[in-house]
Amino acid sequence: MESSVNFFRKIYRQEEESLGEWLGRHKLLLFGLVVAAVLMILYFKYRAPFLVLRDMLVVAHTPLWGGLLLAVWLAGLTVRAYRVHKVAEQREFVEDFRHGLDQWEYYGAWRTEKEDRRHLLTVTESGDGGIARPCLLWRDYDFEFDTKIVRGNTTWLIRARDILNYAMLQCGQSELYPHFRVNGMWVRLPRVSLSTTLPLNTWFRVRIRVQGTRVTAKVTVDDAETEIYNWDLLRPNVRTFVIGEGDRTQRADLILSYPVGSIGFREWSDTECAQFRNVRVSKI
């Protein structure tokens, strides 16, 4: 009897989580239905303002559907302005991957999964990577998450202006390679040897502080925190790139500058795979 009760409790929790994920994916549709319902209630309860609006549209030689389109457009502008204001005022971004990847711009094989009833993100074959939309205008922040190296390395993006411009820390078990991406081109900086060996297929905690031009990264393995990177990485500088192929090449000097930008993850090919969970970004 007890096992049957536990079984139905498990089914109930799964259905509850599925409903939550569905609501997260279709929140705009639900918002539209709520607005339509409110307008219908107002129309049947207070017809006079709607009749006045109709008469105004007739005088202006505007069809009723034109007025409705104008109202929808104004409502859309209002919602957009509110969302921009909300993002600007937001102090923290928390992602548990329970509701999919609606808040991310990503390319490649990104998928959400479950492990021990906890949601997580698996990234592989993602040459461009992916970034969190809510943090695009953030400057100084703490970026924390759990990660697991499945194959190759675990790679973290900071100060991402967009998917083609960001700073990157590519971290293997014993070494770390800082990178810059500028207009889709890559600059790889010298290797940094880690003061500890990171485990394979085991979760560990990462805490990255981005403040001014300095980047500090620490990992926690077996309850012991170790600093693995501390450098003035984000100081603006100029790099020379060779653009073109064959005989049609030219040199171009590009400025590497990342004053603001979001966080994200990247794993290049199927030889690289990492998992992430419990993401938290806090302004400082």
Side-chain angles (χ1 to χ4, degrees):
M1 180 67 179
E2 184 178 355
S3 60
S4 300
V5 172
N6 291 334
F7 172 77
F8 284 110
R9 284 178 178 172
K10 181 178 180 181
I11 294 297
Y12 172 75
R13 282 195 296 267
Q14 290 177 348
E15 290 180 351
E16 186 178 30
E17 291 174 355
S18 299
L19 177 61
E21 293 173 359
W22 188 91
L23 292 175
R25 288 194 302 269
H26 298 86
K27 53 183 177 291
L28 291 179
L29 174 62
L30 294 174
F31 174 76
L33 292 175
V34 170
V35 171
V38 170
L39 289 176
M40 290 181 64
I41 293 172
L42 292 176
Y43 174 75
F44 286 109
K45 191 170 183 179
Y46 306 102
R47 290 197 177 189
F50 288 90
L51 295 177
V52 171
L53 176 61
R54 185 195 64 182
D55 294 339
M56 292 174 62
L57 293 173
V58 170
V59 172
H61 302 288
T62 303
L64 182 59
W65 61 265
L68 292 176
L69 287 178
L70 178 62
V72 171
W73 179 69
L74 291 175
L77 287 180
T78 303
V79 171
R80 181 175 177 82
Y82 170 75
R83 293 179 67 179
V84 170
H85 173 74
K86 185 177 179 181
V87 169
E89 295 297 320
Q90 187 175 355
R91 301 290 306 175
E92 187 175 65
F93 169 65
V94 178
E95 176 64 273
D96 59 8
F97 302 109
R98 181 179 298 272
H99 302 301
L101 297 169
D102 289 347
Q103 301 195 82
W104 298 81
E105 177 188 355
Y106 63 93
Y107 299 87
W110 283 45
R111 64 181 184 273
T112 56
E113 300 177 314
K114 277 187 181 180
E115 180 183 83
D116 298 329
R117 294 168 56 186
R118 301 178 68 178
H119 293 76
L120 59 92
L121 167 68
T122 298
V123 179
T124 186
E125 298 184 63
S126 179
D128 292 323
I131 58 177
R133 292 191 180 99
C135 312
L136 284 172
L137 299 179
W138 290 18
R139 173 177 169 81
D140 297 332
Y141 46 77
D142 285 326
F143 175 26
E144 303 178 55
F145 53 91
D146 297 330
T147 187
K148 180 197 294 184
I149 301 174
V150 180
R151 292 189 303 274
N153 54 59
T154 172
T155 302
W156 322 316
L157 312 183
I158 54 175
R159 289 276 179 89
R161 188 176 70 207
D162 52 44
I163 207 67
L164 298 177
N165 295 274
Y166 48 71
M168 183 179 87
L169 300 177
Q170 185 181 53
C171 186
Q173 289 185 263
S174 59
E175 56 193 17
L176 182 147
Y177 287 95
H179 290 67
F180 292 119
R181 195 173 198 198
V182 52
N183 297 338
M185 296 179 288
W186 292 99
V187 176
R188 189 169 85 164
L189 302 184
R191 179 188 66 179
V192 177
S193 297
L194 303 185
S195 55
T196 185
T197 300
L198 300 180
L200 189 66
N201 287 314
T202 300
W203 290 102
F204 59 92
R205 188 72 175 169
V206 178
R207 182 161 60 92
I208 302 172
R209 168 158 288 195
V210 180
Q211 188 168 23
T213 60
R214 182 160 292 272
V215 177
T216 305
K218 299 179 180 181
V219 297
T220 301
V221 180
D222 295 331
D223 297 325
E225 186 177 65
T226 304
E227 184 176 273
I228 61 172
Y229 189 76
N230 190 338
W231 197 255
D232 206 18
L233 176 66
L234 300 172
R235 183 180 297 277
N237 62 89
V238 178
R239 294 276 177 159
T240 300
F241 292 84
V242 177
I243 302 175
E245 296 181 356
D247 297 333
R248 297 183 177 180
T249 60
Q250 59 180 353
R251 292 181 175 273
D253 292 333
L254 297 180
I255 299 176
L256 304 183
S257 179
Y258 305 89
V260 297
S262 187
I263 56 88
F265 305 110
R266 174 186 180 268
E267 298 295 323
W268 176 55
S269 67
D270 60 356
T271 61
E272 299 178 359
C273 179
Q275 294 179 325
F276 307 91
R277 69 185 185 191
N278 298 330
V279 176
R280 181 183 298 272
V281 189
S282 306
K283 285 184 178 179
I284 56 176

